[in-house]
């Protein structure tokens, strides 16, 4: 799965988290939270071997995901924007006022899971469409070459 892991936190306090697989990335993500300034809205990507940690800070809340490196940045950030919008709609200011770790996990981890799966499947669909377009392009180029060869024989 191209998107592997996601969390929502207020500073270093993880409010909700979901992982599609196991690994040390949860520990790395928690360590990364200590380095993310929440005072201003921002977005950033950190490279880690074959993966990227992408995060978005909005209203002092951190939205973070782990993606395969070849997945690029546009889809992970679209995912983060989507979960940020959903999280803000569901919890509003409450996220910035709580200090209880995982206090929103029961309600929001299923949302993270659904969105991880949806955005990962969208990538698979886009790859399939691109492969189909490449095949059609190859057939069209071959047909054009045949037409040009045929017109040369007529002259």
């Amino acid at each position: 799965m191209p998107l592997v892991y996601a969390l929502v936190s207020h500073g270093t306090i993880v409010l909700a988290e979901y992982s599609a697989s196991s690994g040390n990335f949860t520990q790395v993500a928690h360590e990364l939270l200590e380095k993310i300034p929440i005072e201003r809205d921002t977005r950033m990507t950190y490279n880690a071997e074959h993966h990227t940690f992408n995060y978005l800070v909005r209203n002092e809340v951190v939205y973070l995901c782990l993606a395969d490196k070849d997945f690029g940045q546009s889809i992970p950030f679209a995912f983060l924007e989507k979960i940020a919008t959903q999280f803000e709609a569901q919890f509003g200011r409450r996220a910035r006022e709580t200090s209880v770790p995982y206090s929103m996990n029961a309600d929001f981890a299923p949302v993270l899971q659904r969105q991880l799966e949806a955005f990962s499947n969208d990538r698979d669909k886009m790859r399939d469409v691109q492969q189909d377009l490449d095949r059609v392009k190859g057939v069209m180029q071959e047909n054009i070459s045949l037409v040009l060869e045929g017109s040369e024989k007529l002259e």
Side-chain angles (χ1 to χ4, degrees):
M1 181 181 290
L3 287 172
V4 179
Y5 170 77
L7 70 75
V8 179
S9 75
H10 180 243
T12 59
I13 301 168
V14 176
L15 304 172
E17 180 176 49
Y18 175 77
S19 175
S21 62
S22 61
N24 74 332
F25 51 83
T26 57
Q27 179 183 353
V28 174
H30 289 246
E31 291 171 8
L32 183 58
L33 287 177
E34 296 175 13
K35 299 175 183 177
I36 298 174
I38 63 169
E39 294 79 30
R40 64 183 181 96
D41 293 359
T42 188
R43 60 175 49 207
M44 181 79 66
T45 298
Y46 287 101
N47 293 317
E49 293 184 25
H50 304 292
H51 294 91
T52 59
F53 284 95
N54 306 277
Y55 74 82
L56 167 70
V57 177
R58 186 186 290 171
N59 298 322
E60 298 182 355
V61 177
V62 178
Y63 305 90
L64 182 142
C65 71
L66 177 69
D68 289 343
K69 191 175 264 187
D70 62 351
F71 203 49
Q73 291 181 345
S74 60
I75 293 174
F77 280 111
F79 164 78
L80 293 172
E81 290 285 348
K82 176 80 171 184
I83 65 168
T85 301
Q86 288 183 301
F87 190 84
E88 288 171 352
Q90 189 169 348
F91 298 106
R93 292 176 37 140
R94 204 170 79 183
R96 295 185 302 275
E97 296 169 352
T98 187
S99 60
V100 180
Y102 297 97
S103 59
M104 298 163 185
N105 204 54
D107 294 326
F108 206 70
V111 175
L112 293 174
Q113 178 182 3
R114 280 192 305 275
Q115 293 302 330
L116 273 174
E117 291 169 357
F119 276 81
S120 292
N121 290 338
D122 285 350
R123 170 61 185 229
D124 293 340
K125 290 176 190 172
M126 289 185 345
R127 186 190 65 235
D128 292 345
V129 167
Q130 184 62 49
Q131 288 174 345
D132 288 345
L133 286 172
D134 290 343
R135 279 193 290 274
V136 168
K137 180 180 170 184
V139 169
M140 289 180 68
Q141 288 174 337
E142 188 176 312
N143 289 341
I144 290 171
S145 294
L146 291 173
V147 168
L148 291 175
E149 287 176 14
S151 68
E152 288 176 5
K153 290 180 182 176
L154 291 175
E155 291 176 3

